[in-house]
Amino acid sequence: MTETDVLPESWRGPLGGELDKPYFGELLEFVEKERANGPVYPPRAEVFAALEATPFDEVKVLVLGQDPYHGAGQGHGLCFSVRPGVRTPPSLRNIFKEMKEELGHPVPDNGYLMPWARQGVLLLNAVLTVREGEANSHKGRGWEKFTDAVITAVSGRPDPAVFVLWGAYAQKKLPLVDQERHTVVKGAHPSPLSAKKFFGSRPFTQIDAALAAQGRAPIDWRIPDLGRA
């Protein structure tokens, strides 16, 4: 099985043309060689998990991350999210702290963000795979071209959306977004390096206000506790 085998049906129309371009075949070849040499995250079946969880026509919010978590068992295809039972990483802890301060929601006992994805929050990384233990190890190999196409496709839909660009890396994608039709929420990245600027930026309120202006329902940002073992 290759990464193309799991491209979700709702995205095949908007993105199918990318699969036929030379860069995409070269990208898949590179990733397969990487998998042959050692662990690569996420597993093949979860490379497009964000697109699977949030169908093309249901995207209300697009949150852009950089690349998957590179620790064992962490990255599972949704940016900032980790599997149930995996320790919540620092950036996500800071997102939850801001959520609690801003909205009053309790910090959950897990970092599994699937409840957001199922409400139309596309949790997209710019790079969709990574070598174990080496952040940005698959940067510049072609994933950026593919995920730029994802951003462009969402921007090109008739329905408006909210694009959440945290940090300088994400904000470089601003030219891909039609800002006359869509709302962009910008701010510092929630990583510990820039958390002081992230705290107090009130992104959740901004997102929900933008959705209301678009005639859409707000997101329920609460993440249910899963119970501790």
Side-chain angles (χ1 to χ4, degrees):
M1 184 172 64
T2 66
E3 272 72 4
T4 52
D5 293 328
V6 290
L7 186 60
E9 185 174 355
S10 75
W11 291 90
R12 290 174 190 166
L15 302 177
E18 296 301 305
L19 309 187
D20 298 325
K21 295 180 180 179
Y23 86 85
F24 199 83
E26 295 168 3
L27 169 62
L28 288 189
E29 184 177 349
F30 164 75
V31 175
E32 284 305 303
K33 287 180 178 178
E34 288 283 278
R35 291 193 188 279
N37 292 329
V40 168
Y41 302 122
R44 285 187 186 90
E46 293 182 322
V47 169
F48 295 117
L51 303 183
E52 184 73 47
T54 311
F56 177 65
D57 292 333
E58 296 179 17
V59 176
K60 296 167 64 175
V61 180
L62 188 156
V63 178
L64 185 65
Q66 192 159 352
D67 72 334
Y69 295 124
H70 52 81
Q74 287 186 314
H76 69 104
L78 308 184
C79 74
F80 293 108
S81 179
V82 291
R83 300 173 186 275
V86 176
R87 181 180 173 85
T88 303
S91 291
L92 183 53
R93 287 204 299 270
N94 289 336
I95 291 172
F96 286 156
K97 286 179 183 177
E98 175 66 16
M99 178 184 72
K100 181 179 181 181
E101 183 67 26
E102 184 180 344
L103 303 178
H105 297 332
V107 174
D109 65 4
N110 69 94
Y112 190 54
L113 301 184
M114 188 63 76
W116 294 358
R118 289 176 176 150
Q119 295 179 73
V121 181
L122 178 60
L123 297 167
L124 180 71
N125 277 313
V127 176
L128 298 188
T129 56
V130 68
R131 191 182 307 138
E132 183 179 50
E134 297 184 44
N136 294 317
S137 51
H138 289 184
K139 181 181 178 181
R141 294 289 184 162
W143 280 126
E144 295 92 340
K145 293 180 181 179
F146 178 79
T147 55
D148 281 0
V150 174
I151 297 168
T152 301
V154 174
S155 178
R157 296 181 321 168
D159 295 330
V162 182
F163 291 79
V164 181
L165 306 178
W166 285 326
Y169 180 88
Q171 288 164 24
K172 289 179 181 178
K173 306 296 184 178
L174 200 55
L176 301 175
V177 180
D178 181 350
Q179 296 180 67
E180 292 186 2
R181 295 194 306 110
H182 304 286
T183 300
V184 176
V185 173
K186 296 186 292 183
H189 195 277
S191 77
L193 296 175
S194 52
K196 287 184 179 180
K197 294 181 179 179
F198 175 75
F199 292 137
S201 61
R202 301 185 66 79
F204 300 99
T205 302
Q206 292 185 63
I207 294 166
D208 284 344
L211 290 173
Q214 295 169 0
R216 292 171 173 258
I219 305 297
D220 182 353
W221 297 106
R222 293 172 294 182
I223 298 294
D225 281 345
L226 297 177
R228 302 180 188 274

